[in-house]
Amino acid sequence: MSARVVVSLDSAIVTEVELSKPVTVVGRHPGCDIVIDHPAISGRHMLLRLVERTVYVEDLASTNGTRVNGIVVDNQVVHHLDMIEVGRHKLHFFEDALLVTGVSNLESTVLTDFERTMIAAHVPEPAAKAAPKRGGDDLSRTMVLQRDPPIRFGAAQEVVRTGEAGTDPAFALRVMDGQRRGEVIALDEANTMIGIAGGESALVVKRGPQLFLARFSGNRAPRLNRKDLGPGTHRISAGDVIEVGGSVFEVITAA
């Protein structure tokens, strides 16, 4: 299995790491496999465990916990396009085999605003306070973040963003049926979630001029041109029709 994570912080890519070992430890300690030098990260914060063709995330009793797609977890299987949060950093998980041929080199295709997936609007967190000192190791003094910041989930977080002159996106989605019928959703982010946050949803993934569709969550698969969407990412273009979360969307060329 060929899998990798892209680490980002505040709209910037920090690093990209292929998961080539049975266990990959993430933390602030310099002995970790993925070192994230930030006070919100514990010395050994979490690990990614590869068992045959399955990858597990395990929290290592970290101060601020580990989230997968916004949910606090201790031990969790992760899937293609899942997002792992540690402190204020995000780790975007990919399985290379599920990316369309020609889009496997994320270093050359991922955008600098990659982690801005439209899932939920987080309420701004209060200023972090330092954890009590435990022993003489500086790594033990991990900054404590608000443990469970409130999250405001919208029906689909379908916000139409008006681009600046000359920078309008090449494609958009027109809501043909369902909530917000008639609205146009600009596809100017690397990832745009459609459907219902925490329910039936899909991701429209932008890689340069190309668009791909992938199932994100829910019990029922999204439909592309009246057919159930299979695993992995699927190329989409103008004229395609997507059904997810009770809404119907048409891919259009943005004006």
Side-chain angles (χ1 to χ4, degrees):
M1 177 182 184
S2 180
R4 64 189 66 233
V5 291
V6 174
V7 183
S8 65
L9 173 67
D10 297 335
S11 303
I13 300 299
V14 176
T15 187
E16 176 187 340
V17 179
E18 183 176 356
L19 303 180
S20 58
K21 300 169 59 177
V23 174
T24 301
V25 180
V26 180
R28 199 159 89 247
H29 193 281
C32 292
D33 301 294
I34 300 177
V35 179
I36 302 179
D37 188 12
H38 190 280
I41 304 297
S42 297
R44 290 177 175 82
H45 196 106
M46 51 83 70
L47 61 81
L48 295 152
R49 186 185 303 278
L50 177 59
V51 181
E52 295 182 348
R53 297 185 56 83
T54 303
V55 176
Y56 297 84
V57 166
E58 298 179 23
D59 184 74
L60 299 177
S62 63
T63 299
N64 291 306
T66 300
R67 295 174 182 266
V68 175
N69 299 329
I71 306 299
V72 177
V73 300
D74 292 320
N75 191 313
Q76 172 77 38
V77 174
V78 287
H79 304 282
H80 179 56
L81 297 177
D82 278 352
M83 183 175 68
I84 307 161
E85 295 176 83
V86 290
R88 294 192 173 103
H89 285 69
K90 297 180 175 70
L91 286 75
H92 309 268
F93 177 76
F94 290 89
E95 292 184 33
D96 287 347
L98 296 182
L99 284 169
V100 175
T101 303
V103 195
S104 60
N105 186 353
L106 297 178
E107 186 174 357
S108 63
T109 59
V110 77
L111 305 180
T112 55
D113 62 350
F114 177 80
E115 84 297 344
R116 281 188 270 170
T117 301
M118 297 173 60
I119 301 176
H122 288 259
V123 176
E125 300 175 0
K129 58 183 180 179
K133 182 176 181 180
R134 294 174 295 178
D137 188 352
D138 286 342
L139 290 172
S140 68
R141 296 197 294 273
T142 303
M143 175 180 19
V144 178
L145 300 178
Q146 184 180 359
R147 189 66 180 184
D148 289 300
I151 299 178
R152 297 190 298 267
F153 287 102
Q157 295 297 322
E158 299 163 343
V159 181
V160 178
R161 296 170 295 282
T162 303
E164 299 177 357
T167 62
D168 288 342
F171 295 98
L173 294 177
R174 178 188 291 121
V175 185
M176 300 174 63
D177 198 5
Q179 292 186 348
R180 305 186 182 185
R181 181 177 180 177
E183 286 193 11
V184 174
I185 305 165
L187 297 176
D188 54 0
E189 302 284 358
N191 292 321
T192 301
M193 194 196 81
I194 56 175
I196 302 172
E200 294 175 11
S201 58
L203 284 181
V204 177
V205 181
K206 179 181 178 182
R207 292 293 181 273
Q210 298 181 333
L211 295 176
F212 303 90
L213 182 68
R215 181 176 181 174
F216 190 72
S217 64
N219 295 324
R220 291 191 300 175
R223 292 172 62 83
L224 176 61
N225 298 328
R226 299 184 178 181
K227 295 182 180 180
D228 287 351
L229 194 71
T233 50
H234 302 261
R235 179 79 180 272
I236 58 174
S237 57
D240 286 339
V241 176
I242 303 165
E243 302 171 60
V244 59
S247 296
V248 181
F249 308 87
E250 180 186 11
V251 182
I252 63 172
T253 301

